[in-house]
Amino acid sequence: MATSLAAPKQLALADLKGKVDPDWCPGCGDFGVLAAVEKALVELQIPNHNVVTISGIGCSSNFPGFINTYGMHTLHGRALAVATGVKLANHDLTVLVTGGDGDGFGIGGNHFVHTMRRNVDLLYIVMDNQIYGLTTGQTSPTSRIGMKTKSMPFGNIEAPVNPISLALAAGATFVARGFSGEQKQLIELIKQGIEHKGFSFLDVFSPCVTYNHDNSYQWFRPRVKKLEDDTAYDPTNWLAAMEKSLLWGDEIPIGIFFERTDILTLHGAEPVLNKGPLVHGDTRIPPDVARSFIEELM
Amino acid sequence: MRQTFAIGIGGAAGQGVATPGDIFAKIFSRRGLHLNAYNAYQSIIRGGHTFLTIRAGPEKVTNMGDCIDLLIPLNQDSMNRHLALLSTGAACIYNADTIKPGATGDGVQLCPLPVSKLADITRNKVAQNTLAIGAGLNMMGISFQALENALTEQFKKKGEAVVTENVGIARAGYDHAASKFKPFAWPLPMTENRYAVLSGNIAMAMGGAAAGVKFYCAYPMSPSTGVLHWMAAHARKAGIMVRQVEDEIGVVNMAIGAAHAGVRAMCATSGGGFALMSEGLGMSAMMETPVVVIDCQRAGPSTGVPTKTEQGDLWQMLGAAFGDYPRVIASPLDIGDCFKIIPEMFNLVDRFQCPGMVLCDLLLSEGRLSVDPKDLGFTPVIDRGELITTANGTPSSPATSGDYRRYEITESGISPRAIPGVPGHVHTAATDEHDEDGVLISDEFTNTVKRRAMMEKRMRKVTGIEAAIPPPALWGPRNADVTLIGWGSTSGVIEEACEILSEQGISANQLQIRWLVPLHGEAIVEILKGARHTIIVENNYSGQFARYLRSESSYVPNGYIRKYDGEPFMPHHIVEAVKEQLTGKTTLSVPAHEIMV
């Protein structure tokens, strides 16, 4: 890849400022997530040209346009599939995937499950607001039973998905939950998620101030309890994590539910990548190998 | 008339039709003979009826032909279906213990094998197959040594004892035929040439490897799965990342992701999977990230007839994904072309930063053809187009003071493409409409000026693609009685039909379309202007190409030959239809397929 033109410059917050300002509604939880991602990248000092931020479609999926890294604003629900391709073609890149609950758990549900079991080395941040915002307020896969929306005006009768339990069951090797209103912890979770070698899932409560009046900052603030405050909690214990993931109501845990580091990442498990990222490799098949391919057919 | 010899082997799936087919194919290709093989089968693993046709000859064999010279029915069902199709000079070798022949035409030789007397059938369940191979090769005048070599290779993995046993059984069949059966009128010739025998799927996979594909992913779907199998088996040697993905939506998105990061990425599917990929193709077009998608067509709609061929996906391709965008669609003409077309397609999509679609079909994907190894060159021209892989940019787009615009408006419509990881070129690629610098315009009161400029920028690439693609050419005599127009895989069968027609006093020429989009409509009209009688031949119900040609050029031919029963055309189908149409009886012929499989 390119030789750097000057001595490496320290990455500053200003370097990460996108070409346009976010157009989220004032007070949207996504502002907090954007700020936390920027701070985490500065703390980790990852050059912005080595970061690719990939999203699907939705309010939160406009994220790549608001941060100055390489970005891909892809199709609704498909960010993880695109991100897998990016990572496998160039595993030197830091891959961040951002999106919402409808994008990730609804239309993208299939890719969500399979990307976790593959242990693709990326951080997937879901800005979970339990509602469809950009389409002006319909029920999402994480909307609670009874919640009234434009698409279910008499109240939701379908049980919501539990993203944390689902991620644990699907084999994610880093499973965490944050809250847009808990900046300090969120920055730490993002940093750890980026540094984790494997699939990192970070579900972030990111309240929608326009369409979801049930799950507001005020609703979350007294309920969220940091897992790291419980010194007895062991995030390497999968069963304990599963049990914790079921807690909802007066006490909702945030923090790292689970992490394991004993499983190879997808790119680490593939011998084809032993010689380095594909994008830097030879385009041509060596002549003796090409000959052997034809000889098989003779 | 080309000298050819065709063998038909029929039986239930699981009875071992494939192995004799492989052995015959190997022996023919090593004698320097060309061959073409087509397997008619059903979507079951055991049972049903499978019928493999292998046709060989000293000249190019472009299709499965019209007649069977040697029939080997492995069960009664296959005997009943095919015996009546044999004509003078043909022979049928069969297991006399279990199969009864029916009535035969004049001059057809019945060759019963007393299988239980010639081999120990308690030990070898497929002894009848091996005996038949031995007997057949004797009647063709081929030395036993050739068979012994082929059997040794076929069974060497199973050990010395299995090889010896099979060679012994083959010998018994060979000797039995020498004493009891009449040899064929002409022995199979031998040439100094040596050919590779491969399927269209293998050809497209190898074409991808030759083109520098570094990322291949797929979801299994007949008849495209052979591409995945070759890629997976050769991935490590070829340095290609091969993934099986959860669905075709994931497939196309993953391929586009890899392509966006800078490698050549390809995927293959059939019509149903292609339908799922449709939205992704729009993304490739909007982000201007090149990707190549292969559609191995099968009979549709819906699950359709999964193991049967059709040219029924053209309009799906023409309309894949919503909105207007530049795309390239090409259809390989034969199995050798399946190899060549992939690097050509990649050069185009890399240069013009758009999706490319290869419209193959089951006939080519799963058929087999002898190809001169010289035509399988692994050093094709590779043109990555205006790709920025270093901070210095490209000659046409040198890095300046950080004002890189990914979607810069240019005269050609092509904007130099930087891949993630390159300093100084950070940008976001979006599926939303965007400005030159990648910023979305859909959020700023939908800027009509910018939207129009970006649409025109992308669509300007079509002019460049048109100029890069050669117009089709007419094959055969200029002033022919009839001009047959086809596209893709019908190339070989139309070619032979033209030859047969000429022998029968009707001069015929052929216009075969390989590049479907962009279509050189004006050039086609110019070629057809002087034609006396034009007929469009295609393997679908509604005349998808005829309708497309008409929409692009207003051209209306004199007639149509269509087939949509799942099986490919045989030369006589076309010959008879042409004769019928020249008498003025009809303008639409739908030939019936006589071989019931």
Side-chain angles (χ1 to χ4, degrees):
Chain A
M1 190 48 63
T3 48
S4 59
L5 300 170
K9 181 169 86 67
Q10 284 280 308
L11 183 78
L13 275 178
D15 298 323
L16 291 172
K17 193 174 153 39
K19 291 195 175 88
V20 290
D21 291 331
D23 53 9
W24 294 312
C25 304
C28 174
D30 297 353
F31 284 102
V33 179
L34 176 62
V37 167
E38 289 173 347
K39 284 177 194 141
L41 288 175
V42 168
E43 286 182 28
L44 292 173
Q45 282 296 306
I46 305 172
N48 58 342
H49 63 261
N50 282 339
V51 179
V52 192
T53 309
I54 303 171
S55 70
I57 296 296
C59 292
S60 52
S61 286
N62 288 339
F63 194 107
F66 307 140
I67 186 166
N68 191 35
T69 67
Y70 274 96
M72 295 178 79
H73 189 172
T74 75
L75 298 170
H76 199 21
R78 313 303 164 210
L80 285 173
V82 174
T84 301
V86 169
K87 188 70 186 185
L88 293 178
N90 186 356
H91 56 264
D92 282 351
L93 297 169
T94 295
V95 177
L96 303 179
V97 181
T98 57
D101 40 298
D103 186 74
F105 312 141
I107 191 166
N110 199 17
H111 311 306
F112 179 50
V113 170
H114 291 281
T115 312
M116 288 192 283
R117 78 175 169 85
R118 291 186 183 117
N119 202 27
V120 183
D121 184 20
L122 55 81
L123 168 62
Y124 182 33
I125 304 172
V126 174
M127 284 156 265
D128 189 348
N129 58 10
Q130 297 147 280
I131 193 85
Y132 280 76
L134 200 56
T135 48
T136 71
Q138 297 81 23
T139 304
S140 101
T142 49
S143 298
R144 66 170 180 83
I145 289 181
M147 184 175 181
K148 289 181 180 171
T149 68
K150 285 181 191 162
S151 60
M152 297 199 186
F154 308 107
N156 178 25
I157 57 168
E158 297 176 12
V161 71
N162 181 331
I164 301 294
S165 323
L166 180 58
L168 288 166
T173 51
F174 177 98
V175 179
R177 183 192 276 149
F179 173 38
S180 185
E182 279 290 348
Q183 274 292 295
K184 251 182 89 182
Q185 186 202 38
L186 188 56
I187 295 165
E188 282 310 308
L189 293 174
I190 292 167
K191 280 164 62 184
Q192 290 183 54
I194 289 173
E195 292 197 306
H196 171 77
K197 302 266 180 290
F199 187 95
S200 305
F201 174 57
L202 176 57
D203 193 41
V204 182
F205 294 137
S206 180
C208 174
V209 294
T210 306
Y211 295 110
N212 186 347
H213 302 294
D214 296 10
N215 307 102
S216 60
Y217 290 97
Q218 295 73 18
W219 187 86
F220 280 114
R221 199 153 272 136
R223 289 177 168 83
V224 293
K225 295 274 181 301
K226 289 183 187 161
L227 282 165
E228 58 267 32
D229 290 347
D230 176 1
T231 48
Y233 184 69
D234 172 14
T236 65
N237 183 336
W238 186 88
L239 274 176
M242 201 46 133
E243 207 170 332
K244 274 280 187 222
S245 75
L246 301 175
L247 283 178
W248 191 265
D250 293 342
E251 187 190 329
I252 304 175
I254 54 173
I256 298 173
F257 282 78
F258 181 67
E259 180 171 17
R260 68 187 295 179
T261 53
D262 57 331
I263 291 180
L264 284 175
T265 62
L266 182 60
H267 72 264
E270 176 53 68
V272 165
L273 301 182
N274 283 350
K275 282 188 239 155
L278 289 173
V279 70
H280 306 321
D282 289 336
T283 312
R284 297 284 186 193
I285 305 283
D288 57 317
V289 175
R291 249 192 321 278
S292 76
F293 291 165
I294 294 169
E295 272 159 17
E296 282 174 27
L297 307 166
M298 306 275 298
Chain B
M1 184 92 169
R2 298 182 197 193
Q3 186 196 18
T4 63
F5 186 88
I7 304 172
I9 308 169
Q15 262 196 308
V17 170
T19 307
D22 290 343
I23 289 170
F24 279 124
K26 191 159 272 181
I27 289 171
F28 292 159
S29 76
R30 287 185 180 171
R31 284 181 80 81
L33 298 176
H34 275 288
L35 72 91
N36 185 302
Y38 170 72
N39 191 24
Y41 70 110
Q42 295 102 33
S43 190
I44 46 176
I45 306 301
R46 291 278 182 272
H49 182 248
T50 293
F51 194 71
L52 175 69
T53 310
I54 303 171
R55 186 180 180 212
E59 290 170 85
K60 234 175 105 185
V61 184
T62 63
N63 65 89
M64 66 180 184
D66 285 319
C67 60
I68 301 290
D69 297 287
L70 170 61
L71 175 67
I72 304 178
L74 300 180
N75 62 14
Q76 189 67 49
D77 179 33
S78 196
M79 175 68 99
N80 297 348
R81 287 167 190 261
H82 299 117
L83 186 63
L85 295 166
L86 300 188
S87 54
T88 307
C92 173
I93 302 176
Y94 62 98
N95 182 346
D97 298 346
T98 57
I99 303 171
K100 300 273 167 286
T104 60
D106 289 342
V108 174
Q109 184 187 186
L110 285 175
C111 307
L113 288 173
V115 169
S116 54
K117 292 203 184 86
L118 295 173
D120 182 355
I121 53 168
T122 57
R123 281 173 51 86
N124 192 318
K125 297 254 182 302
V126 291
Q128 63 163 348
N129 305 8
T130 314
L131 286 166
I133 300 170
L137 288 171
N138 178 282
M139 293 161 72
M140 293 171 214
I142 292 174
S143 75
F144 186 74
Q145 189 59 49
L147 176 56
E148 186 172 341
N149 294 348
L151 287 170
T152 306
E153 273 178 47
Q154 186 81 26
F155 295 109
K156 70 179 170 215
K157 274 193 197 141
K158 296 187 178 169
E160 190 63 33
V162 177
V163 171
T164 309
E165 182 187 332
N166 278 282
V167 169
I169 295 170
R171 181 90 234 179
Y174 194 86
D175 293 345
H176 184 80
S179 62
K180 302 276 188 205
F181 308 146
K182 201 159 64 125
F184 288 104
W186 48 274
L188 226 53
M190 203 166 191
T191 78
E192 291 305 308
N193 305 319
R194 290 295 174 268
Y195 301 110
V197 176
L198 68 164
S199 67
N201 281 339
I202 290 179
M204 289 187 289
M206 290 206 316
V213 166
K214 291 291 150 206
F215 191 88
Y216 180 84
C217 59
Y219 184 84
M221 184 170 189
S222 300
S224 68
T225 316
V227 185
L228 171 63
H229 289 173
W230 190 93
M231 282 291 189
H234 298 82
R236 292 187 183 177
K237 269 179 147 181
I240 300 173
M241 167 61 79
V242 179
R243 304 292 350 134
Q244 181 181 330
V245 185
E246 58 271 16
D247 58 30
E248 287 90 346
I249 301 175
V251 167
V252 74
N253 282 279
M254 207 176 276
I256 292 169
H260 195 84
V263 301
R264 282 189 162 178
M266 180 168 93
C267 51
T269 183
S270 188
F274 188 84
L276 294 182
M277 293 184 178
S278 182
E279 193 185 19
L281 294 166
M283 173 163 82
S284 155
M286 193 59 148
M287 285 187 167
E288 305 194 46
T289 298
V291 68
V292 171
V293 178
I294 297 166
D295 174 7
C296 305
Q297 298 166 98
R298 68 193 214 187
S302 196
T303 309
V305 197
T307 60
K308 297 294 167 187
T309 199
E310 199 162 273
Q311 294 182 300
D313 293 3
L314 176 57
W315 279 84
Q316 172 174 227
M317 289 242 157
L318 295 171
F322 51 97
D324 284 321
Y325 62 90
R327 73 189 86 193
V328 187
I329 305 178
S331 201
L333 305 184
D334 63 28
I335 288 170
D337 197 30
C338 285
F339 179 85
K340 272 202 316 214
I341 210 164
I342 304 292
E344 288 179 45
M345 183 60 93
F346 266 104
N347 287 347
L348 285 166
V349 300
D350 260 349
R351 272 179 67 193
F352 295 99
Q353 302 177 12
C354 68
M357 311 167 207
V358 176
L359 198 42
C360 193
D361 55 24
L362 182 138
L363 176 62
L364 297 185
S365 275
E366 297 196 337
R368 275 177 290 170
L369 187 72
S370 51
V371 177
D372 189 328
K374 285 201 290 293
D375 294 332
L376 301 170
F378 269 74
T379 50
V381 174
I382 292 181
D383 179 358
R384 298 294 323 262
E386 297 201 43
L387 190 67
I388 300 172
T389 57
T390 74
N392 302 324
T394 67
S396 74
S397 175
T400 45
S401 53
D403 64 347
Y404 170 70
R405 283 166 297 154
R406 167 65 186 97
Y407 301 107
E408 185 185 349
I409 290 179
T410 60
E411 210 176 302
S412 63
I414 299 165
S415 322
R417 173 166 79 102
I419 58 171
V422 179
H425 294 75
V426 169
H427 67 275
T428 289
T431 54
D432 277 70
E433 186 62 282
H434 40 262
D435 198 355
E436 287 183 87
D437 55 7
V439 170
L440 311 195
I441 66 162
S442 60
D443 298 343
E444 48 170 308
F445 314 110
T446 312
N447 186 319
T448 53
V449 176
K450 287 181 180 175
R451 159 68 178 173
R452 178 172 165 175
M454 291 310 289
M455 271 308 280
E456 289 173 354
K457 175 201 110 68
R458 282 190 299 270
M459 296 309 290
R460 272 201 296 280
K461 294 193 278 188
V462 171
T463 314
I465 301 170
E466 263 166 3
I469 288 173
L474 194 70
W475 303 338
R478 271 226 76 79
N479 293 309
D481 298 321
V482 63
T483 298
L484 297 176
I485 304 154
W487 59 282
S489 66
T490 53
S491 180
V493 72
I494 295 176
E495 184 186 334
E496 186 157 341
C498 286
E499 288 175 13
I500 298 170
L501 284 164
S502 300
E503 282 159 18
Q504 298 181 4
I506 300 166
S507 64
N509 56 23
Q510 177 180 5
L511 181 65
Q512 197 71 21
I513 308 298
R514 184 176 187 247
W515 295 103
L516 290 155
V517 176
L519 185 76
H520 284 280
E522 282 173 26
I524 292 172
V525 170
E526 191 58 33
I527 289 168
L528 297 177
K529 213 167 55 184
R532 278 186 233 160
H533 193 104
T534 56
I535 300 175
I536 298 182
V537 183
E538 51 187 322
N539 232 174
N540 59 53
Y541 178 86
S542 68
Q544 296 199 3
F545 178 74
R547 289 191 287 129
Y548 172 51
L549 178 63
R550 190 174 175 177
S551 77
E552 290 291 298
S553 68
S554 301
Y555 186 81
V556 179
N558 298 96
Y560 311 90
I561 303 174
R562 295 176 192 159
K563 199 161 178 291
Y564 41 86
D565 53 23
E567 294 297 335
F569 284 104
M570 294 160 84
H572 74 278
H573 292 142
I574 299 171
V575 169
E576 284 156 22
V578 167
K579 289 198 221 160
E580 176 183 59
Q581 296 201 12
L582 288 178
T583 62
K585 263 191 252 166
T586 182
T587 55
L588 171 63
S589 307
V590 183
H593 203 81
E594 305 85 347
I595 296 187
M596 294 309 294
V597 285

